[in-house]
Amino acid sequence: YDVAIDFTEWSFLGDRGAPMVVGKKPERGTTKCYKFATITIVETTKRFTLLAVPIGPFDNKHKILETLLTYAQERIKINRLYVDRGFFDSDSIKLFQHHHLTYLMPCTQISTVKNLLNITPAPAVITDFPLADTTFNMVILQETKENGEILKYAFATNEHYDEHDVTLTERLFHLYGKRWGIETSYRVKKHS
């Protein structure tokens, strides 16, 4: 199954000293929330949260990632993992590689990524792009908005893509679009 991992926050308006309440950016009149990390199957018509882990103020992101991935891999075969740019760091990428996972995530606009977006025509595939002590394949895509504005995106992956494939942009946007299934599952859970 294709799965997604994400963090979600549920706003909290009560006593800040309550167990597992953490800080957050001001939103809807509060700076407090409960925070969870989840791993969810994001196949169409097969959405299912495999595990939700509460996050406290001193929890480590990579230990939580390890917990989610280990739990899921003991129960299902993961086809592809989708994560957001909050996981664009060498420790997360090494963890995905350690678990032999195929992954897709947007790159954070660090200076090396920005420079490549500015000078590289899209679509392009840059193999073995270095990030600290690991490497990945970077796929640069371009989208033209209705108003004529041109936007470029960079994705990190360990899959190999052909930059001459005329369906590359559409295919990767479609694949990464599956990640939004986890956002939909959050909305359903909050309102049920």
Side-chain angles (χ1 to χ4, degrees):
Y1 296 98
D2 284 2
V3 299
I5 291 177
D6 198 16
F7 292 103
T8 187
E9 297 174 342
W10 292 9
S11 295
F12 180 76
L13 298 169
D15 176 17
R16 180 157 184 96
M20 298 303 288
V21 171
V22 296
K24 67 185 242 61
K25 292 180 183 174
E27 181 186 28
R28 297 186 187 132
T30 186
T31 58
K32 303 176 294 251
C33 69
Y34 289 115
K35 192 170 185 178
F36 302 89
T38 62
I39 186 164
T40 300
I41 294 172
V42 290
E43 298 286 341
T44 306
T45 72
K46 293 183 178 126
R47 302 231 169 92
F48 184 78
T49 300
L50 295 165
L51 182 64
V53 178
I55 299 174
F58 305 110
D59 286 327
N60 176 289
K61 174 174 86 170
H62 296 103
K63 286 182 181 177
I64 290 168
L65 255 181
E66 178 68 40
T67 299
L68 294 171
L69 292 172
T70 300
Y71 183 88
Q73 286 186 308
E74 289 171 351
R75 287 153 179 81
I76 65 168
K77 181 174 179 349
I78 296 175
N79 179 50
R80 186 177 287 111
L81 171 67
Y82 303 101
V83 293
D84 66 17
R85 62 180 43 91
F87 297 95
F88 183 69
D89 60 69
S90 63
D91 289 336
S92 295
I93 291 171
K94 285 189 296 189
L95 186 60
F96 303 152
Q97 292 168 345
H98 171 76
H99 282 269
H100 307 287
L101 293 170
T102 300
Y103 62 89
L104 181 64
M105 75 177 128
C107 298
T108 302
Q109 298 254 339
I110 58 176
S111 61
T112 52
V113 172
K114 277 186 190 178
N115 292 341
L116 277 172
L117 286 172
N118 288 332
I119 64 171
T120 307
V125 177
I126 298 154
T127 57
D128 298 321
F129 184 83
L131 180 65
D133 55 352
T134 192
T135 61
F136 58 88
N137 296 330
M138 182 189 302
V139 182
I140 297 175
L141 304 174
Q142 179 175 300
E143 176 184 35
T144 304
K145 295 290 192 182
E146 289 180 14
N147 64 3
E149 178 185 14
I150 296 174
L151 301 174
K152 281 188 170 179
Y153 304 91
F155 286 91
T157 185
N158 57 346
E159 288 189 275
H160 297 282
Y161 290 101
D162 178 4
E163 63 189 30
H164 302 293
D165 177 358
V166 294
T167 65
L168 179 61
T169 300
E170 181 181 323
R171 192 159 43 117
L172 276 183
F173 283 155
H174 170 75
L175 284 174
Y176 191 71
K178 286 181 159 189
R179 194 195 82 77
W180 296 110
I182 201 166
E183 303 291 342
T184 303
S185 73
Y186 290 151
R187 283 193 298 278
V188 169
K189 286 175 184 65
K190 284 182 181 179
H191 292 96
S192 42

